[in-house]
Amino acid sequence: MEQIIIERTTLADIKKLQEIGRTTFSEAFAAVNTEENMKEYLEKGFSEEKLTGELSNQDSQFYFALLDGKVIGYLKINTGQAQTEKLNLDALEIERIYILKAFYGQKVGQLLYQKAIDIAHEIRASYVWLGVWEENYRALRFYEKNGFITFNKHKFWLGDDEQTDLMMKKVLVNENELKVS
């Protein structure tokens, strides 16, 4: 396999972001949600207007995972006021890591996750947190394997279906704090 490149996304990439967002979300959740709820979420959640706002927000960043120039997954992180829950302003939220199903198990998610952790260290975030659907067992295992623990819950609406996300976090220790003077 060729090397996977992680690249920051810009407004010029909005159509690619819309496509990978809708495709990966559908692959992950269409089989366990109603067609109507999926259609509504995909239209609203990945509308050009919504994505333009997110891409324009200085406290949000998107990254593509690229293989041979093709987008195979993406990451969205939030800091400061862009976080979906008002927690610590010095925390970093991983809002989305989604991969095309054809690339599950090939460490693409791990590369995107590591990008988020690297950025968290760069900005000296005190911790990284995220919300993951309580029935998304694959994602739960992934985050637990990477040292996240559940600390709370919040509601997530998919169309008219109220779902529960487990809020998970990983406390970070910055390298500078480890050095002995």
Side-chain angles (χ1 to χ4, degrees):
M1 183 192 278
E2 296 292 317
Q3 184 175 354
I4 295 166
I5 296 167
I6 306 301
E7 186 176 278
R8 178 107 185 237
T9 309
T10 69
L11 275 169
D13 300 312
I14 196 162
K15 291 293 187 192
K16 287 190 227 174
L17 181 59
Q18 197 173 42
E19 182 180 339
I20 192 70
R22 286 177 174 161
T23 301
T24 55
F25 196 87
S26 292
E27 286 182 348
F29 302 116
V32 291
N33 287 284
T34 67
E35 186 178 335
E36 297 79 24
N37 285 340
M38 285 295 296
K39 184 174 189 264
E40 180 182 333
Y41 184 81
L42 293 173
E43 284 176 9
K44 290 181 179 174
F46 297 100
S47 71
E48 199 164 315
E49 179 181 54
K50 185 170 191 305
L51 291 177
T52 298
E54 291 176 342
L55 283 163
S56 300
N57 187 329
Q58 66 181 8
D59 289 338
S60 293
Q61 297 175 32
F62 287 86
Y63 292 87
F64 284 151
L66 299 161
L67 180 63
D68 296 328
K70 180 184 182 326
V71 180
I72 61 170
Y74 78 106
L75 161 72
K76 180 183 182 205
I77 58 172
N78 299 313
T79 56
Q81 297 295 331
Q83 295 176 82
T84 58
E85 292 282 342
K86 299 308 172 214
L87 302 174
N88 289 9
L89 288 177
D90 72 338
L92 180 140
E93 175 189 16
I94 297 174
E95 185 176 351
R96 301 181 201 137
I97 293 181
Y98 284 101
I99 311 302
L100 290 172
K101 206 170 215 170
F103 294 93
Y104 283 6
Q106 296 183 37
K107 306 290 184 207
V108 180
Q110 197 66 42
L111 289 171
L112 289 168
Y113 163 77
Q114 190 57 54
K115 180 66 175 177
I117 294 300
D118 291 347
I119 292 168
H121 281 294
E122 284 173 25
I123 67 169
R124 302 184 60 79
S126 58
Y127 62 89
V128 176
W129 73 277
L130 53 94
V132 60
W133 186 30
E134 65 185 351
E135 294 183 36
N136 188 347
Y137 305 114
R138 179 182 182 85
L140 287 168
R141 282 192 309 275
F142 176 82
Y143 291 116
E144 288 168 351
K145 177 187 79 164
N146 280 291
F148 282 75
I149 57 166
T150 301
F151 72 96
N152 207 341
K153 296 178 180 183
H154 67 193
K155 299 297 176 194
F156 176 84
W157 287 91
L158 187 80
D160 65 2
D161 185 20
E162 180 183 34
Q163 301 179 352
T164 301
D165 277 357
L166 300 179
M167 294 171 65
M168 303 179 81
K169 77 175 172 180
K170 178 177 182 171
V171 176
L172 301 178
V173 177
N174 287 299
E175 295 93 37
N176 293 339
E177 297 169 5
L178 298 175
K179 293 179 183 171
V180 178
S181 309

